[in-house]
Amino acid sequence: MAQRLITMTSDFGASDHFVGTMKGVILSINPEAKIVDICNSVHSFDILDGALTIAQAYRYFPSDTVHMVIVDPGVGTNRRPLLVTADKHMFLAPDNGVLSLVYEREERLSVRHITAEHYFLQPMSHTFHGRDLFSAVAGWLSKGVEVAKFGEEVTDFVRFAAPKPKPVNDTLMKGVVLKSDKFGNLITNFTPKEVPQLFEPSPPTFKILVGKTEVTRMRDTYSGGAAGEVFGVLGSMGYLEIAVNRGSAAKTIGADKGSDVGVLFEAAAAAPAAT
Amino acid sequence: MAQRLITMTSDFGASDHFVGTMKGVILSINPEAKIVDICNSVHSFDILDGALTIAQAYRYFPSDTVHMVIVDPGVGTNRRPLLVTADKHMFLAPDNGVLSLVYEREERLSVRHITAEHYFLQPMSHTFHGRDLFSAVAGWLSKGVEVAKFGEEVTDFVRFAAPKPKPVNDTLMKGVVLKSDKFGNLITNFTPKEVPQLFEPSPPTFKILVGKTEVTRMRDTYSGGAAGEVFGVLGSMGYLEIAVNRGSAAKTIGADKGSDVGVLFEAAAAAPAAT
Amino acid sequence: MAQRLITMTSDFGASDHFVGTMKGVILSINPEAKIVDICNSVHSFDILDGALTIAQAYRYFPSDTVHMVIVDPGVGTNRRPLLVTADKHMFLAPDNGVLSLVYEREERLSVRHITAEHYFLQPMSHTFHGRDLFSAVAGWLSKGVEVAKFGEEVTDFVRFAAPKPKPVNDTLMKGVVLKSDKFGNLITNFTPKEVPQLFEPSPPTFKILVGKTEVTRMRDTYSGGAAGEVFGVLGSMGYLEIAVNRGSAAKTIGADKGSDVGVLFEAAAAAPAAT
């Protein structure tokens, strides 16, 4: 009955047996399981990158999907393995904040510390709980084992606030590049909430400062830019992106994840939302 | 009933949530959908690379498969989204020529402009129609919605001719490297049609000119070459490939996609096909 | 009935149509086939790398799974295509030793030379038997065709011994780095069998020599190391790994696959297992 879909988001990469082995574990427990990769190329050990990836994708999956989010530099230590149930989705992840952006979006959450060792593979390694613990639990969950059987609820789970832009003065806000995507688009942490004027059909005069570049044009689409032009665009993730038509903004500007981003309006028009 | 298989060919890469999110959209519409990746690492924005990839793969899939081919630098502009039905296969792609090599191979084609917005995700982004439009349509198609429901037929769709080798004089033809594969084999646009002599058991004396290298040997297999030798071979895609046994011809020669290729026969033996 | 799972391990990479096309062939023969990637990014032509990858993963899959292991630099020559049945698993691979580590682990083996050409795709290329032969056979196998129908048993199949550490004198053993994983952990060929003392709670004084680095600490987990510290750890593959907490040992040390590894004990405590 409970043929729950399972997704995988991790930093295990594609160059080793890790992801394949995890699927083997799941399918050995539940041969009918349906497994979909969201992304296994999260930057190694990068919890924020994992958090951004799952936050973008999970809402597009069917209700009752089990999302594995295994970015787990603390594997084998006393960091807890978690089973999280939200309104429509379930998550398996280490308790290191990798679900922080899910926590931000979901109102009703139940977070459990997975302790039911009889569901784990034995002997359990100290270095690959993706295989020995999380995949095994995902297999059993997908077969319909009740969440309460895996462990007790906890409330002191780890969460961090995603970095938000901050006003420096009346005309300037400072943010950051959250990531660059495969095309070299720079995804900033600015949204229409902090700088609504930027996304108006005729925005007031502005400068977006990234690296040594001053961006002064917003476009509606990636291909709206002239050849070589660096411009801003509202991306599909809901963030301000810095882009180049058929090119890489990351390479053109020399900026990447972590680079500072300033949004400067000529007049004191910035109306930072009280977050 | 109509459990159509769905394939994905795109330039979305493996380092972001894009491909996973698209699968979520499909599975939310049709939880029974079966999705297979052909290749999501098409070079960014490279329509010819996408065209070559789908043209190589689609014929090996079962009849009635829906092939998504999303290399879409013009996303969000007025370039049209297309639903193409050929004899045994269906295709979803932007109208930018990425299906040109499919058009070349297929005799009976019906090309429709997808306009039925009630099948799209709402609100629709300007930058990710792979998610908001093509995946949604693929999901509905795989459930058996009739093609005519998605939009009207058009005849002025974009198509380009794949680059073909051209005779320079009686003894020389000029072509190009279409791509280098993962092994570093250089796939040229020469086929047995243009240079049949090259593929004979004992070809007449010839030189293949690539970069600064003169290739003078044809081999039947990749491992037929001596250590370090650069040679020609008829590849599985039907093209002349330049290869090195257990090595990368691309690195050895310093050539890649776009490099010129000359095929020179000693005597005036070239019999270029009238294409 | 016989809905055998099929796995894929190969060096075909993700940047071409190869893997997708192979799946198309399988699904054209058996539309119900369930296919799982173990790893298609084995180093090009690297038979040992392929052997290590499948050896790590296959035991985690359900009984009766068909494992395709296509690292096949000799494709098109007279190297034989094999169908191997072990106690619980089946394997399809070229006869070049890529199953050597499977042979090492499995007691009962039946190895067949695949000769039944009527199961192959026609015409068959000389350069892509992954598509024309192995995928076709996998498709038919997954439908329940009996193994005996594909060819006769052979006993002179190719196998090599995985490189094992060797004692140099009473205190020193020499081994090698088998591979570096996605995180930059260096997987050596030392196991608790050769150097049991290393994995004791309080090991005797030792040095692990890799590149120009002397490693003098063992840790239980990857995150047990201090910032920047290079240490040893028992990895999930059963081998001694050299690691850095949240960093790449491969980059830190400047070592990689093939690098020498020495394990030196202060006292003559080394008790090399008689292998």
Side-chain angles (χ1 to χ4, degrees):
Chain A
M1 296 295 89
Q3 278 313 332
R4 289 179 178 125
L5 190 64
I6 298 171
T7 77
M8 294 180 68
T9 300
S10 77
D11 61 352
F12 286 123
S15 57
D16 300 285
H17 71 98
F18 301 133
V19 172
T21 294
M22 289 169 68
K23 292 177 182 172
V25 170
I26 293 169
L27 292 164
S28 289
I29 292 167
N30 182 5
E32 304 303 317
K34 193 160 185 170
I35 310 168
V36 175
D37 295 309
I38 289 179
C39 174
N40 291 302
S41 297
V42 169
H43 294 300
S44 297
F45 323 118
D46 189 334
I47 293 168
L48 176 59
D49 194 32
L52 287 165
T53 303
I54 187 62
Q56 282 301 325
Y58 81 93
R59 293 165 293 141
Y60 293 95
F61 280 84
S63 290
D64 226 29
T65 296
V66 177
H67 300 281
M68 301 176 69
V69 189
I70 317 298
V71 180
D72 193 12
V75 58
T77 65
N78 60 359
R79 69 90 192 85
R80 299 173 295 192
L82 299 182
L83 164 51
V84 175
T85 47
D87 199 21
K88 293 183 180 170
H89 296 267
M90 307 173 72
F91 301 86
L92 292 168
D95 185 20
N96 60 16
V98 75
L99 295 179
S100 291
L101 302 194
V102 171
Y103 299 152
E104 242 176 50
R105 287 171 179 277
E106 295 288 334
E107 294 194 359
R108 279 175 301 183
L109 283 171
S110 149
V111 180
R112 291 173 186 277
H113 176 193
I114 302 172
T115 54
E117 296 185 10
H118 54 284
Y119 290 114
F120 307 167
L121 294 200
Q122 297 297 346
M124 194 156 87
S125 72
H126 291 292
T127 56
F128 193 7
H129 288 189
R131 175 187 71 191
D132 303 333
L133 189 155
F134 291 109
S135 292
V137 170
W140 291 111
L141 261 180
S142 74
K143 284 191 89 161
V145 173
E146 284 170 41
V147 295
K149 297 219 166 153
F150 293 98
E152 300 294 317
E153 282 201 53
V154 294
T155 53
D156 60 338
F157 49 89
V158 176
R159 58 195 299 175
F160 56 76
K164 295 270 196 295
K166 286 178 189 155
V168 174
N169 55 45
D170 274 4
T171 58
L172 177 64
M173 293 193 77
K174 276 212 158 179
V176 73
V177 173
L178 292 173
K179 65 174 288 182
S180 63
D181 70 15
K182 188 257 194 180
F183 302 99
N185 299 312
L186 296 165
I187 292 109
T188 77
N189 63 342
F190 285 89
T191 74
K193 200 167 146 191
E194 293 93 16
V195 283
Q197 325 91 297
L198 208 53
F199 301 99
E200 287 167 8
S202 300
T205 305
F206 68 89
K207 283 181 189 169
I208 305 172
L209 313 164
V210 203
K212 293 180 177 171
T213 301
E214 297 191 353
V215 178
T216 56
R217 291 294 299 262
M218 289 293 292
R219 301 289 190 180
D220 287 336
T221 66
Y222 292 128
S223 63
E229 182 192 55
V230 182
F231 56 92
V233 62
L234 179 59
S236 65
M237 308 186 194
Y239 294 111
L240 169 68
E241 298 183 10
I242 309 301
V244 168
N245 184 4
R246 287 174 177 75
S248 164
K251 279 189 193 162
T252 303
I253 298 182
D256 207 340
K257 183 190 155 111
S259 296
D260 289 332
V261 180
V263 175
L264 180 73
F265 290 97
E266 204 165 68
T275 324
Chain B
M1 296 298 90
Q3 277 313 330
R4 288 180 180 125
L5 191 64
I6 298 171
T7 77
M8 294 181 66
T9 301
S10 77
D11 61 352
F12 286 124
S15 56
D16 299 286
H17 71 99
F18 301 133
V19 172
T21 294
M22 289 169 68
K23 291 178 182 173
V25 170
I26 293 169
L27 292 165
S28 288
I29 292 166
N30 182 5
E32 304 302 318
K34 193 160 184 169
I35 311 168
V36 175
D37 296 308
I38 288 180
C39 174
N40 291 302
S41 297
V42 169
H43 294 300
S44 298
F45 323 119
D46 189 334
I47 292 168
L48 176 59
D49 193 32
L52 287 165
T53 302
I54 187 62
Q56 281 302 324
Y58 80 93
R59 293 165 293 141
Y60 293 94
F61 280 84
S63 290
D64 226 27
T65 295
V66 178
H67 300 281
M68 302 176 69
V69 189
I70 317 299
V71 181
D72 193 11
V75 58
T77 66
N78 59 0
R79 69 89 192 86
R80 299 173 295 190
L82 298 182
L83 164 52
V84 175
T85 47
D87 199 22
K88 294 183 178 167
H89 295 267
M90 308 175 71
F91 301 86
L92 293 168
D95 185 19
N96 60 16
V98 75
L99 295 180
S100 292
L101 302 194
V102 171
Y103 299 151
E104 241 177 50
R105 287 172 180 276
E106 296 287 335
E107 295 193 0
R108 282 175 298 184
L109 282 171
S110 151
V111 180
R112 290 173 185 278
H113 176 193
I114 302 171
T115 53
E117 297 186 9
H118 53 283
Y119 290 114
F120 307 167
L121 293 201
Q122 298 297 346
M124 195 156 86
S125 72
H126 292 291
T127 56
F128 193 7
H129 288 190
R131 176 187 69 191
D132 302 334
L133 189 155
F134 292 109
S135 292
V137 171
W140 291 112
L141 261 180
S142 74
K143 284 189 90 162
V145 173
E146 284 170 41
V147 295
K149 298 220 166 154
F150 293 97
E152 300 294 317
E153 283 202 52
V154 294
T155 53
D156 60 339
F157 49 90
V158 176
R159 58 194 301 175
F160 56 77
K164 294 272 196 295
K166 284 177 191 159
V168 176
N169 55 44
D170 275 4
T171 59
L172 177 65
M173 294 194 77
K174 276 213 159 178
V176 74
V177 174
L178 293 172
K179 65 174 290 182
S180 63
D181 70 15
K182 187 257 193 181
F183 302 99
N185 299 313
L186 296 165
I187 291 109
T188 77
N189 64 342
F190 285 90
T191 74
K193 201 168 144 191
E194 293 94 16
V195 282
Q197 326 91 296
L198 208 53
F199 301 99
E200 287 167 7
S202 300
T205 305
F206 68 89
K207 284 181 188 168
I208 305 171
L209 314 163
V210 202
K212 294 181 176 168
T213 301
E214 296 191 353
V215 178
T216 57
R217 291 296 298 263
M218 289 293 292
R219 301 289 189 180
D220 287 336
T221 65
Y222 291 129
S223 63
E229 183 193 54
V230 182
F231 57 92
V233 62
L234 178 59
S236 64
M237 309 186 193
Y239 295 110
L240 169 67
E241 298 183 9
I242 310 301
V244 168
N245 183 5
R246 289 175 175 74
S248 164
K251 280 189 192 163
T252 303
I253 299 181
D256 206 340
K257 184 189 154 110
S259 297
D260 288 333
V261 180
V263 175
L264 180 72
F265 290 97
E266 205 164 69
T275 323
Chain C
M1 299 296 90
Q3 277 313 333
R4 288 180 179 123
L5 190 65
I6 297 170
T7 77
M8 294 181 66
T9 301
S10 78
D11 62 351
F12 286 122
S15 57
D16 300 285
H17 71 100
F18 301 133
V19 172
T21 295
M22 289 170 68
K23 292 178 182 172
V25 170
I26 294 169
L27 292 165
S28 288
I29 292 167
N30 181 6
E32 304 302 318
K34 192 160 185 170
I35 311 168
V36 176
D37 296 309
I38 288 180
C39 174
N40 291 302
S41 296
V42 169
H43 294 299
S44 297
F45 324 118
D46 190 334
I47 292 168
L48 176 58
D49 194 32
L52 288 165
T53 303
I54 188 60
Q56 281 302 325
Y58 81 93
R59 293 165 294 140
Y60 293 95
F61 280 84
S63 290
D64 227 26
T65 296
V66 177
H67 300 281
M68 302 176 69
V69 189
I70 317 299
V71 181
D72 193 12
V75 59
T77 65
N78 59 0
R79 69 91 191 86
R80 300 173 294 193
L82 299 182
L83 164 52
V84 175
T85 47
D87 199 22
K88 295 184 178 166
H89 296 266
M90 307 174 72
F91 301 86
L92 293 168
D95 185 20
N96 60 14
V98 75
L99 295 180
S100 292
L101 302 194
V102 171
Y103 299 151
E104 241 177 49
R105 286 172 179 277
E106 296 287 334
E107 294 193 0
R108 282 177 297 184
L109 283 171
S110 151
V111 180
R112 290 173 185 278
H113 176 193
I114 302 171
T115 53
E117 296 185 9
H118 54 283
Y119 291 114
F120 307 166
L121 294 201
Q122 297 298 344
M124 194 156 89
S125 73
H126 292 292
T127 56
F128 193 9
H129 288 188
R131 175 187 70 191
D132 302 334
L133 189 156
F134 292 109
S135 292
V137 171
W140 290 113
L141 261 181
S142 73
K143 284 189 90 160
V145 173
E146 285 171 41
V147 294
K149 298 219 166 153
F150 293 98
E152 300 295 316
E153 283 201 53
V154 294
T155 53
D156 60 338
F157 49 89
V158 176
R159 58 194 299 174
F160 56 76
K164 295 273 197 296
K166 285 178 189 157
V168 175
N169 55 43
D170 275 5
T171 58
L172 177 65
M173 293 192 78
K174 276 211 159 178
V176 73
V177 174
L178 293 172
K179 66 175 287 180
S180 63
D181 70 16
K182 188 257 194 179
F183 302 99
N185 300 312
L186 297 165
I187 291 110
T188 76
N189 63 342
F190 285 89
T191 74
K193 199 168 147 191
E194 293 93 18
V195 282
Q197 325 90 297
L198 208 54
F199 301 98
E200 287 168 6
S202 300
T205 305
F206 68 88
K207 285 181 189 166
I208 305 171
L209 313 163
V210 203
K212 294 180 176 168
T213 301
E214 296 191 353
V215 179
T216 57
R217 292 294 298 263
M218 288 293 292
R219 301 290 190 179
D220 287 336
T221 66
Y222 292 129
S223 64
E229 182 191 55
V230 182
F231 57 91
V233 62
L234 178 59
S236 64
M237 307 187 195
Y239 295 111
L240 169 67
E241 297 183 9
I242 310 300
V244 168
N245 184 5
R246 288 175 174 75
S248 164
K251 281 191 192 163
T252 303
I253 298 182
D256 206 340
K257 184 189 154 111
S259 297
D260 289 331
V261 180
V263 175
L264 180 73
F265 289 98
E266 204 165 67
T275 323

